Amino acid sequence: QTDLEMLCITFCVSDPPANVTHDLVPQGRHQDLTAENAELYCQVYREWMFDKRWATAMDHIFTGLHRVIPVNIFSRFIHMVRLDELDTMLAGHGIDVEDWRKHTECQSPLHEKHRLVKWFWEVVSEMNVQEQEDLWTYVSGSKGVPPGGFSALTNAVGESQSFTLAKSSTTAEHLPVAHTCGFQLELPPYNSKAELAERLKRAIGYREGFGFA
């Protein structure tokens, strides 16, 4: 036996999510991998992983896509848009903290120089990229910022809507509360920047599922 034969690999793959086994070639589950057919195995396995595995899902995706963008228009569209531009259209821009701050409104009694507001922006600036994205997801329910940045935020009916910082009527023991439909974040009256940072990061942890504020 060769080293490959000792691996006991056949020309089939398991698909746990679908709970099925797929033959890479006809009757593949009965054909052992050997040194002689290793090149063929690599070829059909690669075809499965990068193409055939997703064929059914991609058929559904294209069906839905072509309901929105007709085939004749889509063929022209893909030649007009770069991949990075398409990514921005679908997922939005990354987080630019200065742009975010510039297009933020403060609800009275908060204002730009209020200590809660200053602490908030200091904490956000000190976050890493992933934490900033998680915070925006918590605040907005969206993973990205629309093309045009924070100045281009709109509500559910397409009206211009700014991100707003507001002061919560709760105590400092509570977490910040987000109102995703209006891009609003309510901050309780924390006594220090460290307290705000700890509560904010804990709130971000509840962005998927349920948590108590």
Side-chain angles (χ1 to χ4, degrees):
Q1 283 189 318
T2 65
D3 291 340
L4 286 177
E5 291 172 325
M6 292 176 64
L7 294 176
C8 298
I9 295 176
T10 59
F11 276 65
C12 66
V13 290
S14 296
D15 190 357
N19 195 31
V20 295
T21 298
H22 298 274
D23 287 318
L24 298 175
V25 296
Q27 298 299 310
R29 67 195 66 193
H30 304 300
Q31 182 174 337
D32 294 325
L33 171 64
T34 65
E36 288 74 24
N37 61 26
E39 186 174 346
L40 174 62
Y41 178 85
C42 291
Q43 177 186 331
V44 294
Y45 183 80
R46 184 173 60 249
E47 290 174 353
W48 160 256
M49 289 298 294
F50 292 103
D51 186 9
K52 295 178 181 178
R53 182 180 183 183
W54 314 108
T56 301
M58 290 305 298
D59 285 342
H60 291 301
I61 290 173
F62 278 116
T63 298
L65 181 62
H66 291 152
R67 287 179 181 175
V68 179
I69 307 176
V71 177
N72 62 320
I73 296 177
F74 184 74
S75 61
R76 295 196 297 269
F77 174 78
I78 60 176
H79 288 95
M80 296 168 58
V81 180
R82 301 195 310 268
L83 286 177
D84 60 320
E85 293 173 331
L86 180 60
D87 181 61
T88 299
M89 291 178 184
L90 296 175
H93 284 293
I95 304 298
D96 183 332
V97 177
E98 285 306 309
D99 180 53
W100 189 356
R101 184 171 186 168
K102 180 180 177 181
H103 296 97
T104 293
E105 295 181 357
C106 296
Q107 189 177 96
S108 183
L110 295 188
H111 51 80
E112 188 177 349
K113 295 184 179 180
H114 193 286
R115 67 176 188 172
L116 279 177
V117 176
K118 293 173 67 176
W119 288 342
F120 173 79
W121 291 118
E122 288 174 8
V123 170
V124 174
S125 297
E126 292 167 4
M127 289 178 170
N128 60 41
V129 173
Q130 186 60 59
E131 289 172 331
Q132 291 173 354
E133 291 179 352
D134 290 344
L135 171 60
W136 179 245
T137 300
Y138 176 69
V139 169
S140 68
S142 173
K143 282 205 170 284
V145 182
F150 286 92
S151 64
L153 293 178
T154 58
N155 59 21
V157 296
E159 300 170 335
S160 180
Q161 178 80 55
S162 297
F163 169 72
T164 304
L165 285 173
K167 188 175 182 180
S168 171
S169 59
T170 58
T171 65
E173 284 70 37
H174 289 73
L175 301 179
V177 175
H179 300 279
T180 57
C181 56
F183 304 118
Q184 184 181 82
L185 183 67
E186 292 185 359
L187 299 174
Y190 298 124
N191 298 303
S192 69
K193 172 183 168 182
E195 188 175 43
L196 187 152
E198 189 275 330
R199 297 285 197 279
L200 187 60
K201 290 181 179 180
R202 196 196 308 176
I204 293 172
Y206 293 134
R207 70 189 184 281
E208 296 178 358
F210 297 91
F212 292 102

